[in-house]
Amino acid sequence: MTEKKSPLTGFSSLAIHGGHQQDPNYAHLTPLYASSTFVYDNAEQGMRRFSGKEEGFIYSRWGNPGFSEAERKISAMESFGIMENGSPLELKALLHASGMAAISTLMMMNLKAGDKILTHFSLYGGTEELIRNLLPAFGVEGIIADLRDLNLAASILKSDPAIRMLYIETPANPTIQCVDIEELSRMARERNIIVACDNTFATPYLQQPFKYPVDFVIHSTTKFLNGHGTAIGGVLIGRDIEFMKSKAYVTHKTLGGNSNPFDAFLLINGMKTLEVRMERHCANAVQIADFLATHPAVSKVNYNGLASHPDYEVAAKQMRHPGAMMSFELKKGLPGGIEFMNKLRMCTRTVSLGTCDTLLSHPASMTHYSVPKEAREKYGITDGLIRMSVGMENVEDILNDLSQALE
Ligand code: PLP
């Protein structure tokens, strides 16, 4: 199977053609290889495949043609336009069953008892649960600090030699806080600390963490990369190809967090439209943030494209556009949040993000219902906070729906 090799200058051309190899039966799109295992012509071939002397698929937990195509496409997008030592940056991705599976592989392959992870306090809840409550059972401790304060980050990194990994998520869930990837990764690199960045909210179209000394990038592909809300998935991408092919691959296949052919197929086709989708999502988001910022029922808008957002400059430095995620606080608190959610007509009431339709959630009555008020407020999750993933509908319709629900 050959891959089209002509140099592509545009992101969409790469997103559409990158990673594709001609199917041996000349199908236009890579078909679904819905097969748990792959066969050998003879015992010798089986031996060559298992010993790694011959390339080829063995067992779908270990790899599948659809997973490989998705992995090549994501690697191509994350490295698009980045040069290192005079050559295009080469990356290797491993497709997973979910974002959390990719993050679990990341932790298991890099950390051991006695190690510590330094991370920012605004993180996706599942990642925080892993760092705060699950990893300590394996002797790995999390240090959760405000990494927007670079002096604080420097002093923590300097004072604790047990820190083995810096883990960042930017923009972060649900406050849309951003941390400085360049400065933090440079500080960590000086101390030989592994740097991992969750790029789910931004996508490689808006932000490429590998421009900086970042070792690993993670995505929940469930979100903007798939783009249509049709499948759960995740990916772990690394710049040390040998490490990705050895320790990372072995950890991934042994933990068993593999994807499946159908979800990989949906992801491959979703990713082809990433640029056009993100352009529309972001253009809509800018207009909606402006509308909300002056609305009398709204006390605060968290959107990194507004000059009032504390991380506006950091976001502008490292992102192509401010993104499609925002949150805002209603003056009427908990009852106001419930009333607003109930009045929505077109926009969708749900968690998750990154789909064609606009999604809204009210953390205090939904995702964070069981978290005590004081605990969630520490992270900016107030009673009246609404999280919004801005969709690709015509912006007038989104504005009309929000406007009538805010009345
Ligand atoms: N990272 C971020 C920023 C997320 O928002 C999520 C899920 O919402 C995850 C990771 C986990 O991804 P998944 O749900 O695909 O396991």
Side-chain angles (χ1 to χ4, degrees):
M1 287 196 277
T2 52
E3 197 169 338
K4 291 182 195 163
K5 281 282 181 210
S6 67
L8 300 173
T9 53
F11 189 92
S12 273
S13 312
L14 183 93
I16 292 166
H17 296 283
H20 182 67
Q21 292 183 341
Q22 175 66 59
D23 175 67
N25 290 314
Y26 290 84
H28 171 203
L29 304 182
T30 301
L32 268 82
Y33 283 82
S35 182
S36 53
T37 189
F38 296 82
V39 299
Y40 322 110
D41 286 335
N42 48 47
E44 288 77 10
Q45 188 185 39
M47 196 157 64
R48 289 195 301 277
R49 292 254 172 106
F50 272 87
S51 64
K53 290 193 180 122
E54 177 181 303
E55 289 223 345
F57 295 97
I58 295 177
Y59 186 57
S60 278
R61 174 158 52 78
W62 302 17
N64 177 285
F67 306 174
S68 301
E69 176 157 346
E71 289 165 350
R72 288 190 298 266
K73 203 181 274 302
I74 297 171
S75 300
M77 291 193 291
E78 282 290 359
S79 60
F80 179 67
I82 307 177
M83 300 290 285
E84 208 169 61
N85 308 321
S87 311
L89 176 66
E90 209 192 323
L91 298 171
K92 165 99 187 98
L94 291 168
L95 194 67
H96 283 69
S98 66
M100 286 314 300
I103 296 169
S104 304
T105 299
L106 170 83
M107 302 298 181
M108 297 293 276
M109 73 188 186
N110 283 308
L111 302 169
K112 57 176 187 339
D115 288 343
K116 293 186 184 172
I117 308 176
L118 174 62
T119 191
H120 183 60
F121 65 84
S122 185
L123 274 187
Y124 167 62
T127 312
E128 190 186 339
E129 176 77 17
L130 179 68
I131 294 176
R132 202 186 271 280
N133 297 328
L134 299 188
L135 289 180
F138 299 91
V140 174
E141 196 189 309
I143 304 172
I144 300 180
D146 186 346
L147 298 183
R148 291 170 305 170
D149 180 344
L150 293 175
N151 291 330
L152 175 69
S155 82
I156 299 173
L157 287 169
K158 197 164 153 198
S159 64
D160 199 335
I163 297 173
R164 176 85 187 109
M165 181 188 287
L166 170 75
Y167 184 93
I168 54 181
E169 177 185 313
T170 181
N173 209 341
T175 50
I176 326 298
Q177 288 177 358
C178 298
V179 296
D180 190 323
I181 308 175
E182 181 176 18
E183 289 300 322
L184 290 168
S185 59
R186 197 184 41 73
M187 281 181 209
R189 173 60 52 91
E190 277 167 10
R191 300 184 175 274
N192 255 340
I193 290 169
I194 297 162
V195 183
C197 179
D198 184 331
N199 202 24
T200 300
F201 273 30
T203 81
Y205 179 61
L206 300 185
Q207 175 173 279
Q208 290 173 295
F210 286 115
K211 279 185 186 160
Y212 313 108
V214 165
D215 300 290
F216 301 101
V217 166
I218 315 101
H219 285 274
S220 166
T221 61
T222 316
K223 314 293 168 12
F224 292 103
L225 287 181
N226 168 298
H228 302 79
T230 51
I232 300 283
V235 69
L236 169 65
I237 312 144
R239 70 186 330 139
D240 180 340
I241 306 292
E242 277 321 302
F243 182 86
M244 290 306 290
K245 286 185 173 166
S246 52
K247 180 103 184 255
Y249 173 66
V250 171
T251 309
H252 169 48
K253 76 174 187 178
T254 309
L255 289 176
N258 54 284
S259 181
N260 65 77
F262 187 48
D263 289 356
F265 177 82
L266 294 170
L267 174 63
I268 291 165
N269 290 298
M271 288 192 292
K272 292 178 184 174
T273 54
L274 184 68
E275 175 176 348
V276 278
R277 286 189 287 106
M278 292 313 289
E279 285 289 341
R280 174 70 167 237
H281 280 295
C282 296
N284 281 355
V286 168
Q287 288 195 52
I288 290 164
D290 285 342
F291 161 78
L292 291 170
T294 53
H295 197 285
V298 175
S299 55
K300 185 178 179 199
V301 181
N302 302 309
Y303 181 57
N304 56 34
L306 288 175
S308 56
H309 190 282
D311 308 325
Y312 172 79
E313 277 173 25
V314 173
K317 169 177 142 185
Q318 61 198 22
M319 294 175 74
R320 188 195 291 261
H321 303 305
M325 294 301 300
M326 67 182 72
S327 56
F328 54 94
E329 280 178 34
L330 298 178
K331 288 183 183 159
K332 284 206 237 150
L334 193 66
I338 293 171
E339 188 193 347
F340 168 79
M341 293 298 288
N342 284 339
K343 280 167 81 178
L344 290 170
R345 289 185 191 145
M346 180 193 76
C347 298
T348 311
R349 274 179 293 272
T350 188
V351 292
S352 202
L353 54 116
T355 59
C356 304
D357 50 334
T358 297
L359 312 182
L360 290 114
S361 65
H362 178 218
S365 68
M366 296 163 76
T367 45
H368 292 70
Y369 177 72
S370 53
V371 180
K373 188 171 152 88
E374 313 76 67
R376 60 177 160 75
E377 284 192 342
K378 254 201 279 173
Y379 297 106
I381 303 170
T382 54
D383 281 350
L385 189 79
I386 304 288
R387 194 187 75 171
M388 173 156 55
S389 164
V390 177
M392 301 189 296
E393 299 96 336
N394 300 92
V395 73
E396 331 57 273
D397 288 317
I398 308 175
L399 290 169
N400 286 343
D401 198 19
L402 296 177
S403 177
Q404 65 77 27
L406 286 169
E407 255 166 34

